Amino acid sequence: MKRFQLESKTLVAFMYDIRVRCPQCEQRADIVMKESLRLSCLACGYGRVYTEGVYRTGGGAFDPFFQLPLYLQTNCCGHILWAYNRDHLAYMRAYVEADIRTSDGENSSVESRFPKWMKQKHNREDVLRAIKRLEIICEKG
């Protein structure tokens, strides 16, 4: 039996590198936190610096800063499965694959915020296939 044993993380822990659709060319652009929060697209050269100071939480298939559609999203079980980056996908995979899932009781943890449909055993294979589709997109760049 597989057990979910990763340290609980909040969604903010995955916000260091967010893959989004470029508002100019629709290709992959990256939002990266370094000295400042920057949006940049390697395909067309589009770039922006985030200066708002406050971001919108709540998740969803949009980034919390520029409100751009996430690059890593796919249909799954009648819903949208989305992730910020490769590490976020790996965390989801570990959780979904686990037969035994323990929680630290933190309501702010990523796994506590996963939607019910994603946690249901009868959707496991579909969710894992959707995660695999997104992993392939990550591999392609």
Side-chain angles (χ1 to χ4, degrees):
M1 287 196 140
K2 289 184 182 181
R3 178 183 288 272
F4 178 73
Q5 295 180 328
L6 295 177
E7 176 184 331
S8 266
K9 294 185 178 187
T10 63
L11 195 54
V12 173
F14 298 105
M15 288 185 187
Y16 61 89
D17 176 26
I18 302 174
R19 296 178 180 190
V20 295
R21 293 248 173 236
C22 175
Q24 189 165 290
C25 73
E26 293 291 313
Q27 297 300 309
R28 177 185 143 197
D30 296 316
I31 299 171
V32 179
M33 284 191 209
K34 291 198 178 175
E35 312 82 51
S36 61
L37 187 66
R38 296 184 175 272
L39 166 66
S40 57
C41 177
L42 293 176
C44 72
Y46 180 84
R48 254 172 77 191
V49 175
Y50 184 73
T51 57
E52 303 288 321
V54 177
Y55 62 90
R56 296 181 189 144
T57 57
F62 295 87
D63 81 89
F65 304 104
F66 300 99
Q67 294 299 298
L68 295 171
L70 294 176
Y71 190 71
L72 298 174
Q73 61 175 287
T74 189
N75 290 320
C76 181
C77 304
H79 303 275
I80 300 291
L81 179 72
W82 57 269
Y84 286 152
N85 53 46
R86 185 184 314 260
D87 291 342
H88 192 189
L89 282 172
Y91 193 86
M92 276 193 264
R93 174 178 286 288
Y95 181 84
V96 173
E97 285 180 334
D99 296 310
I100 301 171
R101 300 171 181 159
T102 57
S103 176
D104 60 8
E106 291 290 323
N107 192 35
S108 61
S109 69
V110 174
E111 63 274 9
S112 73
R113 302 296 179 126
F114 286 152
K116 185 176 180 180
W117 63 267
M118 192 174 156
K119 297 178 182 183
Q120 292 173 324
K121 187 176 181 177
H122 69 274
N123 287 335
R124 178 178 289 171
E125 292 307 313
D126 289 335
V127 172
L128 289 172
R129 274 192 293 276
I131 290 171
K132 182 63 179 171
R133 283 194 302 271
L134 295 178
E135 289 171 337
I136 289 168
I137 292 170
C138 274
E139 290 170 14
K140 292 179 181 177

